[in-house]
Amino acid sequence: MNSDKNKIKGLFDEAPILTDQQALWERIEAELPKEKKKRVAIWWWGSIGVVLLLSMGVWWVTNTNAGTKNEASDIVKSQNPLVENLAVAESKEAIDFNENKKNELVETPIVKHEKSVTEKKETTSTSLTSKKSIAEKTKTETPILTTKTIADRPVFEKENKVKFIEIEKTDKNLKIENTHPLAFLPLKKQVIVSSQLGKNILTNGDVLPIRKLESTSAFIQPVSSEKWSVEVAGGIDFASRKLNAGDVTFKTLKSQFETQENGFSGELILKYQVLPKLKIGAGIQYQRAVERLDWEGIVSVNTSPVLSDSATYFTYQSTNHYQEGELTQTETTYGKIRHYNTINSIHIPVLVNYELLRTGRFSVDLGAGIHINLSNKARGKFLLPDNSIDKSNSDNIFKSSGIHQAMFGISTQYHLNRQWAILMNTQYISALSTNYQSTISMDQRWNQWRLNLGIGLKL
Amino acid sequence: MNLNKTIKACQKNDRKAQFALYEAYAAIVIRTCERYTEDLPTAKDLSQLTFLKIFKNLNQFNAQKGNFESWIRRIAINECLQFLRKKRHLLFVEHFNENEMESVEELNTTDIDNERLKQFIEALPKGYRTIFLLFQVEEYSHKEIGSFLNISESTSRSQYFKARKMLKQKIEDFLSKKTNLAK
């Protein structure tokens, strides 16, 4: 029996002549999921490049400003004679307050500061010559020197957009306590303005050797005042996604799905004013939305007996498995299936804002930029036509993706005062690229509308 | 072709790797499909479905359970069986008579040319032919065939011996006619 078995096996081992192997491959390839396009990678690198360029731009602009800090402080002083006078007065008070230091501090060129601002250079140089003697004399003593506040300090601060800093002097050092609300920012952006110097002190809560400080009385003025702003906003989102079938299983059902999403989002955007009407910004957004997906799918599979007991019907179940069963036939019913996904996503927007108009307290900005949606995770559930949950399909979708979107929007602002504003942002965020969701075998393009309300704070 | 690397690349939807895999196994798949179908176009259609299933389920391939070619052949056979079932070509009677097995003797394949023998096998009823090929060519056991077709092992055995008996009868008829013509 083995001999005939070998002969018969040999009969079927010859391959058929296949002249159109390429044609068959093309048919197969057409049904395969689309290959991930390198364009996605290009977008990633492009986004990183834009972010780097913007960062460099901000760095360049801010450092250019940093070089003019002294000038800025001078301007503050010259524009606000009160600053000069009060600072001088405060300086005197400080000296009076610490009587132990009176003799030493007499050497500080207060008198010079009582002159005009134009004599500042001379003042500074005098200051520099005198600081050594101050440092030497303070070595031997352990005085406590605290800036004495002026009576109308809050009004003064508000009117002149400055903040006092507290200075505490120990034997060798002066501790500077910055009370400005933006003290967390690098103090390169801030300038010490005092009666005795117009010099920058790059510290916050740090301990400085006394020789580096030429005054015991000071307040700070952010150089970049009104250039930096922070916007915090939150609101509702309306989104739609176009999903194209990327898999043969879905293609046989329906080639495209429209989805609806409603949700909410919150954002924090930091903006920098490059030109009088132009701002650049970047930030972070969190979005949570519920996606509703309606599509045609298998609602039920009914089996019923078809033949007598003398025969067996077998049912193909999966790729390589036949399930035992009775003599039955199957009837598949297709119907509308509703699928809900809860989507949590984090966006990194990078944008440019242009002030279109400003009338009174109102202003309207036009914004455009890109969104990098770093993660997008969802857990889903299927609802059958009777709104019952299809437990076999629920909670089994977990997807993560990165997409790129272009944002275009209008921001209307009502300015409560020079610092605070109420915002209303309307944005349309459109997909720049299509990404493939392997778990649901879909290519998706994500477009959405966003309406946000929030507050803005100029720093 | 490094099979493991190619499989991994295919799982990442690498088109070049998928084509390499297709090129390497296309002949085997088409040959297998052709055995169970009536014509080459149908075999190609089934080969297409087979490869799509292969690419989709590559993560299920376990090298410890068998080699890749066997796995692919099995998918191809399943596709063919599914096709035949849809066409209602496969209905098996759950009936087994031990006497049938006793009556089967060795086939006389020495006096008959290959092409004629192949024609006789292909002319068998589809149910017989399917089980005959699964056992004789693919070398699956009756237990395995039973699980493929959702029939009992004894039914598979019975169908096989019926096929064999029919084939033997055809060969004998052919040889006797040949002998008579020679006379």
Side-chain angles (χ1 to χ4, degrees), chain A residues 164-168 175-180 204-205:
Chain A
F164 283 88
I165 58 173
E166 302 297 335
I167 297 176
E168 189 178 343
K175 186 179 180 186
I176 298 173
E177 196 66 38
N178 189 351
T179 59
H180 194 276
N204 174 33

Side-chain angles (χ1 to χ4, degrees), chain A residues 39-104:
Chain A
R39 197 175 60 173
V40 174
I42 290 168
W43 275 113
W44 273 113
W45 285 112
S47 306
I48 292 166
V50 168
V51 170
L52 282 174
L53 278 173
L54 284 172
S55 307
M56 284 170 67
V58 170
W59 180 85
W60 182 79
V61 169
T62 52
N63 277 275
T64 306
N65 281 351
T68 61
K69 277 182 223 167
N70 287 336
E71 291 169 20
S73 64
D74 289 345
I75 291 164
V76 169
K77 283 196 283 188
S78 61
Q79 287 175 345
N80 300 285
L82 182 61
V83 175
E84 183 81 2
N85 297 334
L86 286 171
V88 170
E90 188 182 351
S91 189
K92 285 176 179 174
E93 282 177 20
I95 295 162
D96 293 337
F97 177 78
N98 193 339
E99 291 186 5
N100 291 336
K101 302 299 295 176
K102 192 181 279 181
N103 293 332
E104 298 162 9

Side-chain angles (χ1 to χ4, degrees), chain A residues 35, chain B residues 6 8-19:
Chain A
E35 200 171 13
Chain B
T6 307
K8 280 180 183 173
C10 288
Q11 285 171 333
K12 291 175 184 171
N13 205 23
D14 183 321
R15 197 63 88 231
K16 284 183 182 175
Q18 286 168 335
F19 181 66

Side-chain angles (χ1 to χ4, degrees), chain A residues 128-248:
Chain A
L128 290 170
T129 54
S130 61
K131 67 178 180 180
K132 191 177 178 184
S133 58
I134 295 172
E136 283 171 356
K137 288 179 182 176
T138 51
K139 269 182 186 176
T140 54
E141 299 178 28
T142 56
I144 299 298
L145 186 66
T146 306
T147 306
K148 204 171 182 183
T149 57
I150 56 175
D152 57 347
R153 174 170 154 176
V155 177
F156 178 80
E157 284 180 336
K158 191 178 177 184
E159 286 180 352
N160 295 283
K161 292 180 70 67
V162 294
K163 275 280 180 183
F164 283 88
I165 58 173
E166 302 297 335
I167 297 176
E168 189 178 343
K169 188 180 177 187
T170 57
D171 56 346
K172 290 182 181 178
N173 300 317
L174 286 170
K175 186 179 180 186
I176 298 173
E177 196 66 38
N178 189 351
T179 59
H180 194 276
L182 298 174
F184 63 88
L185 287 175
L187 288 192
K188 275 185 179 178
K189 313 289 182 294
Q190 300 170 354
V191 172
I192 298 287
V193 181
S194 80
S195 61
Q196 297 176 341
L197 67 141
K199 193 169 182 178
N200 308 333
I201 294 179
L202 309 179
T203 184
N204 174 33
D206 293 336
V207 174
L208 281 185
I210 194 168
R211 64 179 177 277
K212 286 192 177 176
L213 193 68
E214 300 167 34
S215 170
T216 56
S217 171
F219 51 86
I220 63 167
Q221 162 75 45
V223 166
S224 56
S225 176
E226 297 190 9
K227 284 191 180 291
W228 286 97
S229 62
V230 171
E231 291 179 3
V232 180
I236 49 176
D237 296 344
F238 307 96
S240 71
R241 277 199 296 171
K242 267 190 180 176
L243 294 160
N244 291 303
D247 180 84
V248 64

Side-chain angles (χ1 to χ4, degrees), chain B residues 83-178:
Chain B
F83 170 78
L84 294 172
R85 180 184 65 81
K86 277 182 184 169
K87 294 277 181 185
R88 302 291 175 113
H89 291 316
L90 292 182
L91 280 176
F92 299 100
V93 177
E94 283 283 6
H95 175 69
F96 179 61
N97 184 353
E98 287 189 1
N99 294 331
E100 289 171 351
M101 291 175 63
E102 291 170 7
S103 63
V104 175
E105 295 169 2
E106 191 167 347
L107 296 173
N108 180 8
T109 57
T110 49
D111 298 331
I112 188 167
D113 61 289
N114 288 353
E115 198 55 40
R116 183 77 61 185
L117 181 58
K118 196 175 178 183
Q119 280 176 10
F120 286 157
I121 294 169
E122 284 173 347
L124 287 171
K126 286 201 171 63
Y128 287 175
R129 192 181 71 184
T130 302
I131 289 181
F132 183 83
L133 289 171
L134 287 171
F135 184 80
Q136 198 87 15
V137 181
E138 316 296 349
E139 296 182 326
Y140 288 120
S141 68
H142 286 298
K143 193 176 179 181
E144 286 174 310
I145 295 168
S147 69
F148 284 161
L149 302 177
N150 195 27
I151 56 176
S152 67
E153 184 181 345
S154 57
T155 302
S156 170
R157 198 182 299 278
S158 163
Q159 297 283 312
Y160 170 71
F161 281 107
K162 280 178 182 172
R164 201 173 168 84
K165 188 178 176 183
M166 190 177 280
L167 185 61
K168 186 184 178 210
Q169 188 61 49
K170 283 181 184 246
I171 293 168
E172 283 175 356
D173 289 350
F174 173 75
L175 290 176
S176 65
K177 279 181 187 174
K178 196 177 170 184

Side-chain angles (χ1 to χ4, degrees), chain A residues 1-9 11-25 27-29 31-36 247-249 306-307 309-316 318-327 329-330 436 441, chain B residues 13-15 18-19 22-23 26-27 30-31 34-35 40 44-45 47-48 51-53 55-57 71 74-75 78-79 81-82 85 88 90-94 106-107 109-110 112 114 117-118 121-122 132-133 135-137 139 147-151 164:
Chain A
M1 201 175 270
N2 280 337
S3 61
D4 67 58
K5 190 172 183 176
N6 291 334
K7 183 171 182 177
I8 291 166
K9 194 173 185 310
L11 291 176
F12 293 92
D13 275 347
E14 294 169 11
I17 299 166
L18 199 62
T19 53
D20 55 349
Q21 193 161 313
Q22 185 63 32
L24 179 57
W25 166 249
R27 282 166 58 188
I28 293 167
E29 192 180 19
E31 300 290 342
L32 285 171
K34 282 179 188 170
E35 200 171 13
K36 278 186 180 176
D247 180 84
V248 64
T249 311
V306 287
L307 291 174
D309 293 341
S310 60
T312 299
Y313 192 83
F314 51 91
T315 307
Y316 180 80
S318 63
T319 305
N320 50 8
H321 179 61
Y322 278 80
Q323 187 165 326
E324 288 183 14
E326 294 179 357
L327 186 63
Q329 67 177 7
T330 58
Y436 179 67
S441 302
Chain B
N13 205 23
D14 183 321
R15 197 63 88 231
Q18 286 168 335
F19 181 66
Y22 165 78
E23 267 196 322
I30 294 167
R31 189 194 305 153
E34 199 198 16
R35 270 177 220 152
L40 192 57
K44 282 181 184 171
D45 288 344
S47 299
Q48 181 184 348
F51 272 106
L52 289 172
K53 287 254 165 80
F55 290 132
K56 193 176 178 183
N57 296 289
W71 185 72
R74 187 157 179 155
I75 292 175
N78 279 329
E79 281 302 317
L81 295 178
Q82 186 188 15
R85 180 184 65 81
R88 302 291 175 113
L90 292 182
L91 280 176
F92 299 100
V93 177
E94 283 283 6
E106 191 167 347
L107 296 173
T109 57
T110 49
I112 188 167
N114 288 353
L117 181 58
K118 196 175 178 183
I121 294 169
E122 284 173 347
F132 183 83
L133 289 171
F135 184 80
Q136 198 87 15
V137 181
E139 296 182 326
S147 69
F148 284 161
L149 302 177
N150 195 27
I151 56 176
R164 201 173 168 84

